[in-house]
Amino acid sequence: MKTLLSALALLASISIAQAGPKEDASQVIERWSKAFVNADLDGIVTLYAPEATMIGTLGKVVMTKPEQIRKYFETAMLNSRPTDIALQSAETLVIDDNTVVLSGLDTITGTMKDGQPYTSLGRVTFVLAKRAPDWKILHLHRSPLPK
């Protein structure tokens, strides 16, 4: 019995240890989505690497500094309150053990500052990299889905 329990514990630890880059990066995207919907500015910003770049949905410049990314989300959260973000279709490309690209189509729903509901269909690409010991967002680009 003790041997069986030891074997099960070993198998469990192996399966946990075998979570790969795709799964690790997906967890970052899940945390990002949760922070976004909860309007958790600090939660979003801490997921980005210091050298991250970003082009937001309504962005007109490539942001290259953490304070620019923070300001973008701060302004976005003042003007609209997201209530849900969902990936309808996404593909994950594992470049190597430390780099993952996720591209897909998403829908963001929420309420504008004036109380009007909104739905934003978009195309999104995240580039994530392992920065010991955590995974960080190196780049985010989101643009409206053409009609």
Side-chain angles (χ1 to χ4, degrees):
M1 180 68 162
K2 187 175 177 181
T3 304
L4 177 60
L5 290 176
S6 295
L8 288 174
L10 178 63
L11 285 173
S13 68
I14 290 170
S15 64
I16 290 169
Q18 287 183 353
K22 181 177 179 177
E23 294 79 14
D24 293 340
S26 292
Q27 288 178 3
V28 174
I29 302 302
E30 287 175 30
R31 288 197 310 270
W32 185 94
S33 297
K34 185 177 179 180
F36 184 73
V37 168
N38 290 326
D40 178 0
L41 184 58
D42 290 332
I44 288 174
V45 173
T46 60
L47 295 173
Y48 286 83
E51 71 275 23
T53 59
M54 184 179 129
I55 304 172
T57 307
L58 302 174
K60 296 183 181 191
V61 299
V62 177
M63 291 167 266
T64 60
K65 296 182 173 85
E67 57 270 14
Q68 290 174 305
I69 294 170
R70 180 179 199 80
K71 183 69 175 168
Y72 178 87
F73 283 111
E74 185 176 47
T75 301
M77 289 174 190
L78 286 174
N79 293 319
S80 64
R81 174 77 169 115
T83 55
D84 188 44
I85 184 167
L87 283 172
Q88 280 74 46
S89 134
E91 296 295 327
T92 303
L93 174 63
V94 176
I95 305 296
D96 58 39
D97 287 346
N98 298 305
T99 314
V100 173
V101 176
L102 179 136
S103 296
L105 303 176
D106 69 2
T107 302
I108 299 173
T109 56
T111 306
M112 298 300 292
K113 189 170 155 180
D114 64 4
Q116 292 288 75
Y118 73 89
T119 299
S120 173
L121 304 176
R123 303 172 288 192
V124 64
T125 300
F126 285 91
V127 178
L128 301 107
K130 188 165 187 176
R131 297 288 189 253
D134 300 317
W135 280 81
K136 295 288 184 178
I137 298 168
L138 284 184
H139 180 74
L140 166 64
H141 176 229
R142 184 176 189 276
S143 58
L145 190 64
K147 296 189 184 228

